[in-house]
Amino acid sequence: MVSVTLNAPISGGASASRNGSAASSEKGPDIEEGGAVRPPHATADYSAAQPGIDSYRKRKMTMVLHRILDEWVTREHLDLDSVETDVDEKVEDKGHEELDAASLREHEEFTKVKNIATIELGRYEIETWYFSPFPPEYNDCNKLYFCEFCLNFMKRKEQLQRHMRKCDLKHPPGDEIYRDTTLSMFEVDGKKNRVYGQNLCYLAKLFLDHKTLYYDVDLFLFYVLCECDDRGCHMVGYFSKEKHSEESYNLACILTLPPYQRKGYGKFLIAFSYELSKKENKVGTPERPLSDLGLLSYRGYWTRVLLDILKKHKGNISIKELSDMTAIKAEDILSTLQTLELIQYRKGQHVICADPKVLDRHLKAAGRGGLDVDVCKLIWTPYKEQT
Ligand code: ACO
Ligand code: ZN
């Protein structure tokens, strides 16, 4: 099947206004002063650190595939095996030139209206932020009730109560790969737990503005962070990761559920994604575009990690060395250091100029921020396709 996550904007302009306009009828996150300078909802222009951006044509194709998949979503029952062929045929039929602005606008009109206002998940009632393409029988629902363990969703509280009496899950399906006192991380293979993966995507889309994929979960692993107590493991947030990424993405989508936000879990999830990359001996970068909150969190993480190393390091260090040590992609290192004004361009080369006083000033401003990943507690081997 096809991946339909929208690619990053070529110049930053087009995608930013797409998402910006869609936001007007939705609430979205509040970003405090001193945080992002962009209007809420606009997708961050992150062209400085964009990984190999696909061609314009491929981007248009991706959008159309997304539109087509959404049409299927509204038709409800997908024949999962036939999707790829159907997509190809439809794209052929339409002709590339007809991947037009009008149909994209139509799609945007449909998806800009927030459909589900609130959800109940575990002990929280959560106000949603964005549209999510739940199957049509949920069109008339203002509120949905999620089982916090299997993530099945229901229209009525009584249905959920009945479900909870039967549901025997007390944590996400899959392997627990990390445990640190009450915090656990589970790895869920989208292929082995397809319904769970799809439910998670429906749920996540309620808080993610940029386009995501709903049915093609086979190609993804989901890393679900939980706070555990005697009632079970309660989902705090997650990130998804392609099993194989040609663009060296080490994270596709990241979410901390609103009740748990601003407590350091986002930073933990980001750090975790880089720890996995280190174990794979790869450098990684998050899939673009990043949301404002995503960019803020990544910037914070990159800044702290790089400043910590520069502070301790004696003598020269190159961006390549920093990248090898941190698994952060060189472009992201460069853009972060440029933002911190720690880079000079001399004789055709970028040179890191880390004056100790400047480093101290930045470190003080960066603060410490919550939870660290204790790598000793990570028990994990990189994904290998089973034959
Ligand atoms: N206003 C200002 N700053 C904020 C806000 C806010 N509302 N929320 C988080 N931050 C800052 C924090 O201060 C912190 O910065 P610091 O480390 O420099 O102090 C940083 O962002 C991370 O904070 P955490 O508490 O670690 O992150 P959190 O658990 O809140 O999760 C996340 C961050 C995952 C981006 C969350 O806001 C979220 O789920 N947002 C909705 C979904 C989303 O936008 N995901 C990213 C899309 S991009 C992608 O998926 C590749
Ligand atoms: Zn359940």
Side-chain angles (χ1 to χ4, degrees), residues 252-286:
C253 287
I254 179 170
L255 169 74
T256 303
L257 288 165
Y260 297 96
Q261 285 178 5
R262 304 221 63 184
K263 298 179 198 293
Y265 289 118
K267 186 195 144 212
F268 180 92
L269 289 166
I270 292 170
F272 203 92
S273 71
Y274 283 104
E275 291 306 332
L276 298 188
S277 294
K278 286 181 200 167
K279 291 224 176 232
E280 292 173 314
N281 290 318
K282 288 181 182 165
V283 294
T285 189

Side-chain angles (χ1 to χ4, degrees), residues 334-360:
L334 183 61
S335 74
T336 305
L337 295 180
Q338 274 168 338
T339 306
L340 296 169
E341 297 182 347
L342 295 175
I343 291 280
Q344 287 181 10
Y345 197 64
R346 290 186 200 151
K347 296 182 189 159
Q349 273 194 322
H350 291 292
V351 184
I352 301 172
C353 301
D355 180 309
K357 277 192 200 137
V358 180
L359 285 183
D360 282 339

